[in-house]
């Protein structure tokens, strides 16, 4: 099937340029970084020295759910940045180099082309996210106390909706602009605007996908899933779907020069 | 029966007709050259025929299939500057292209082996495309265009970026190709067109200005040009040449005279009579018109 042919090519490409190796590793590192460094902070400060004799270091230890949120907030910045950068040229780069013309000369369906590309990055995102959160969960259980594995999985799934939207936005911009740098810049700006707007109008934008992280924090703390988290995740998935549809349409109407 | 029938094909970019009401038929087993200066609309025409840009108006009909609008499966296309995935090997790219066109894994490995042989890339098939030379890429481009056994093969300026050896190889390849399919290739090098194609389409400024078999187009020419030059330029040569009956126009550039005549034989006889009578020291007598270049220049300057 044509879709699997394109997907296989994408997976091979990202395997050969080592994205399948470094992206999961970086996700693991950024997920465990904050919880571990927080735990060892007293020891680090002590061994660094320079403190007057008799100083008592008393940093309150976060509870497991707070430690988990440290991972999420790192992913929300560095993770988003990495996902944007690795996918910023997936279509625009092929158009720019000209290989798109060869691909298109074959009876390739635009739907297959766009969705297979999206799915290949979505897979990379899911795998990296789960590996990162799994590593973080392991250390949190070791250092801070118990956090149910089921809670981790549920939180990861909801968070994945937010990152799904991010990838869909990058794919859409890929069909609008030629320069990968511009695509990355605009994607990040879009996410920032979305987050800022959500913060400013939070009383009316309860369903905003930018709120997912906030709801995850509540969920990890209380263990209860509000309707709002379902709602904002659903919105994230619907908007992702429309981004992909727009991407297909705009690619179909694109003039190549 | 024609393979492709193109009617009133027009493509407009920002109010400018890049391709302007172009119509022609392509017949099976023929090699057709699409000629024209740069910017004449050749590439746009080819891209519309390849099915991945939509005409503003007009129709393209493949006799195979009048229903579906997607005729890309009948067409093999090589762009002017083909570019590939540098991390793939030549063989892998052929597999990818073939599978995109709907071939099964088994079919595609069979076919790509044959094609690599045809374009002399068997040894380089396993090498990464990033390490290929320009000529090798061009040949791989031809192979990928042929992978799904298209009825119509379109090559956009296939030889203009190649060195003489590469050019020779590709022209020989085109001769091979027209045994199984219709070949349409664009070029601005007239010799190449004359060498391998039977028919030409001549475009300028978006319009199709001449079309047909090369021999026919040659025969349509009304006048012939004779080029003359002399060791020592005779006096009143201009006037004396013009006195000849069938001479229609005389132009001079750096001592070389281009004499346009209606009747070649009569004019030739008259000129040689003058050479004898007047003792002109003739150093060059050449019949220059009727070549494709001549037709091209005339049509483009019209």
């Amino acid at each position: 099937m044509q879709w699997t042919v394109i997907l296989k090519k994408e997976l091979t490409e990202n395997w050969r340029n080592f994205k399948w190796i470094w992206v999961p590793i970086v996700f693991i590192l950024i997920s465990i970084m904050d919880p571990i460094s927080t735990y060892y902070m007293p020891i680090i400060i002590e061994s660094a020295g320079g403190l007057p004799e008799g100083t008592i270091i008393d940093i309150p230890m976060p509870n497991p759910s707070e430690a988990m949120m440290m991972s999420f907030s790192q992913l929300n910045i560095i993770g988003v940045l990495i996902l944007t950068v690795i996918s910023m040229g997936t279509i625009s780069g092929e158009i720019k180099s000209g290989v798109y013309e060869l691909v298109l000369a074959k009876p390739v369906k635009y739907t297959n082309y766009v969705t297979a590309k999206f799915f290949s990055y979505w897979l990379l995102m899911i795998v990296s996210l789960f590996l990162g959160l799994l590593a973080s969960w392991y250390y949190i259980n070791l250092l801070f106390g118990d956090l149910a594995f089921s809670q981790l999985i549920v939180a990861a799934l909801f968070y994945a909706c937010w990152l799904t939207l991010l990838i869909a936005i990058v794919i859409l911009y890929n069909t609008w602009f030629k320069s990968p740098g511009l695509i990355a810049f605009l994607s990040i700006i879009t996410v920032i605007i979305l987050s800022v707007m959500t913060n400013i109008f939070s009383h009316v934008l309860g369903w905003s996908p930018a709120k997912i992280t906030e709801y995850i924090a509540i969920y990890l703390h209380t263990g209860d899933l509000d309707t709002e988290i379902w709602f904002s995740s659903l919105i994230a998935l619907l908007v992702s779907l429309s981004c992909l549809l727009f991407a297909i349409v705009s690619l179909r109407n694109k003039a190549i020069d | 029966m024609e393979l492709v029938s193109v009617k009133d094909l027009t493509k407009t970019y920002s109010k400018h007709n890049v391709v302007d009401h172009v119509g022609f038929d392509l017949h099976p087993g023929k090699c057709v050259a699409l000629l024209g200066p740069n910017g004449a609309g050749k590439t746009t025409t080819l891209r519309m025929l390849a099915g991945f840009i939509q005409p503003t108006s007009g129709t393209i009909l493949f006799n195979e299939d009048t229903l579906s609008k997607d005729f890309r499966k009948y067409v093999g296309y090589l762009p002017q500057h083909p570019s590939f995935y540098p991390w793939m090997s030549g063989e892998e790219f052929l597999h990818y292209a073939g599978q995109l066109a709907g071939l099964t894994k088994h079919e595609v490995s069979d076919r790509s082996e044959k094609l690599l042989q045809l374009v002399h890339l068997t040894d380089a098939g396993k090498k990464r495309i990033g390490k290929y030379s320009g000529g090798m890429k061009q040949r791989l481009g031809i192979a990928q265009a042929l992978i799904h056994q298209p009825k119509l093969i379109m090559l956009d300026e296939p030889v203009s970026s190649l060195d003489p050896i590469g050019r020779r190889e590709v022209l020989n390849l085109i001769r091979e190709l027209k045994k199984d399919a219709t070949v349409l290739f664009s070029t601005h090098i007239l010799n190449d067109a004359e060498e391998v194609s039977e028919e030409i389409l001549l475009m300028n400024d978006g319009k199709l200005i001449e079309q047909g078999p090369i021999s026919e187009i040659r025969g349509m020419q009304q006048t012939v040009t004779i080029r003359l030059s002399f060791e020592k330029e005779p006096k009143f040569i201009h006037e004396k040449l013009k006195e000849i009956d069938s001479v229609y126009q005389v132009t001079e550039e750096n001592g070389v005279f281009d004499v346009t005549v209606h009747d070649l034989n009569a004019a030739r006889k008259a000129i040689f009579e003058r050479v004898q009578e007047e003792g002109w020291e003739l150093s060059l007598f050449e019949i220059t018109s009727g070549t494709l270049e001549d037709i091209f220049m005339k049509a483009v300057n019209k």
Side-chain angles (χ1 to χ4, degrees), chain A residues 30-99:
Chain A
I30 58 178
S31 300
I32 62 175
M33 188 171 66
D34 266 14
I36 291 183
S37 61
T38 306
Y39 182 81
Y40 289 108
M41 194 51 78
I43 300 168
I44 294 167
I45 293 173
E46 209 173 310
S47 59
L51 289 172
E53 199 73 23
T55 309
I56 295 161
I57 303 161
D58 188 19
I59 300 171
M61 271 297 138
N63 61 37
S65 70
E66 279 164 352
M68 196 76 226
M69 280 321 289
M70 288 176 174
S71 301
F72 276 111
S73 63
Q74 282 300 323
L75 287 171
N76 229 0
I77 301 165
I78 305 173
V80 164
L81 214 61
I82 287 169
L83 286 177
T84 309
V85 168
I86 59 170
S87 52
M88 64 186 181
T90 181
I91 295 173
S92 64
E94 291 197 356
I95 294 177
K96 212 173 174 183
S97 83
V99 69

Side-chain angles (χ1 to χ4, degrees), chain A residues 2 5-6 8-9 12-13 16 94 97-99 101-108 110 255-257, chain B residues 13 47 52 72-73 77 79 83-85 87-88 92-93 96-97 99-101 105 144-145 147-148:
Chain A
Q2 194 175 62
V5 172
I6 301 175
K8 221 174 112 192
K9 175 252 150 191
T12 318
E13 179 167 15
R16 290 205 193 157
E94 291 197 356
S97 83
V99 69
E101 212 179 339
L102 285 188
V103 172
L104 218 62
K106 299 285 180 269
V108 173
Y110 293 95
I256 321 158
D257 44 41
Chain B
Y13 284 125
R47 281 176 171 170
F52 60 84
R72 289 180 292 178
K73 50 182 176 285
Y77 175 65
S83 129
F84 306 89
Y85 302 107
W87 52 271
M88 274 191 189
E92 281 173 327
F93 191 85
Y96 183 53
Q99 284 179 297
L100 286 182
K105 250 188 185 158
Q144 68 79 31
I147 191 86
H148 54 304

Side-chain angles (χ1 to χ4, degrees), chain A residues 35 63-65 67-69 71 135-147:
Chain A
N63 61 37
S65 70
M68 196 76 226
M69 280 321 289
S71 301
S136 161
W137 177 76
Y138 170 79
Y139 280 107
I140 285 167
N141 273 305
L142 215 63
L143 304 175
F144 298 97
D146 283 345
L147 183 79

Side-chain angles (χ1 to χ4, degrees), chain A residues 18-241:
Chain A
F18 305 112
K19 278 179 190 162
W20 272 100
I21 298 177
W22 72 261
V23 177
I25 289 177
V26 174
F27 266 66
I28 289 171
L29 289 178
I30 58 178
S31 300
I32 62 175
M33 188 171 66
D34 266 14
I36 291 183
S37 61
T38 306
Y39 182 81
Y40 289 108
M41 194 51 78
I43 300 168
I44 294 167
I45 293 173
E46 209 173 310
S47 59
L51 289 172
E53 199 73 23
T55 309
I56 295 161
I57 303 161
D58 188 19
I59 300 171
M61 271 297 138
N63 61 37
S65 70
E66 279 164 352
M68 196 76 226
M69 280 321 289
M70 288 176 174
S71 301
F72 276 111
S73 63
Q74 282 300 323
L75 287 171
N76 229 0
I77 301 165
I78 305 173
V80 164
L81 214 61
I82 287 169
L83 286 177
T84 309
V85 168
I86 59 170
S87 52
M88 64 186 181
T90 181
I91 295 173
S92 64
E94 291 197 356
I95 294 177
K96 212 173 174 183
S97 83
V99 69
Y100 179 69
E101 212 179 339
L102 285 188
V103 172
L104 218 62
K106 299 285 180 269
V108 173
K109 291 205 160 56
Y110 293 95
T111 316
N112 288 343
Y113 183 76
V114 170
T115 54
K117 272 183 177 286
F118 168 79
F119 189 67
S120 77
Y121 282 95
W122 188 84
L123 266 186
L124 181 54
M125 177 274 283
I126 281 286
V127 170
S128 308
L129 178 67
F130 271 84
L131 287 177
L133 290 177
L134 209 63
S136 161
W137 177 76
Y138 170 79
Y139 280 107
I140 285 167
N141 273 305
L142 215 63
L143 304 175
F144 298 97
D146 283 345
L147 183 79
F149 184 69
S150 60
Q151 263 197 315
L152 168 88
I153 296 294
V154 171
L157 284 176
F158 280 112
Y159 191 67
C161 295
W162 169 238
L163 293 185
T164 303
L165 175 62
L166 172 76
I167 297 174
I169 290 172
V170 181
I171 294 276
L172 175 62
Y173 286 163
N174 256 286
T175 65
W176 286 357
F177 306 105
K178 245 187 177 172
S179 146
L182 182 67
I183 290 161
F185 175 75
L186 289 176
S187 306
I188 299 288
I189 291 287
T190 307
V191 170
I192 290 174
I193 290 177
L194 191 62
S195 305
V196 169
M197 294 301 273
T198 306
N199 278 333
I200 295 174
F201 303 106
S202 62
H203 51 292
V204 280
L205 292 178
W207 44 267
S208 165
K211 283 222 149 195
I212 290 176
T213 332
E214 223 171 281
Y215 296 140
I216 286 173
I218 298 169
Y219 165 67
L220 287 177
H221 194 69
T222 63
D224 297 327
L225 282 174
D226 286 336
T227 45
E228 277 154 324
I229 193 170
W230 288 104
F231 204 46
S232 52
S233 301
L234 185 70
I235 295 282
L237 294 181
L238 286 177
V239 176
S240 307
L241 193 67

Side-chain angles (χ1 to χ4, degrees), chain A residues 106, chain B residues 72 74-78 145-146 148 150 152-155:
Chain A
K106 299 285 180 269
Chain B
R72 289 180 292 178
Y74 307 124
V75 177
Y77 175 65
L78 172 69
L146 299 175
H148 54 304
L152 172 65
I153 298 160
M154 291 194 293
L155 314 168

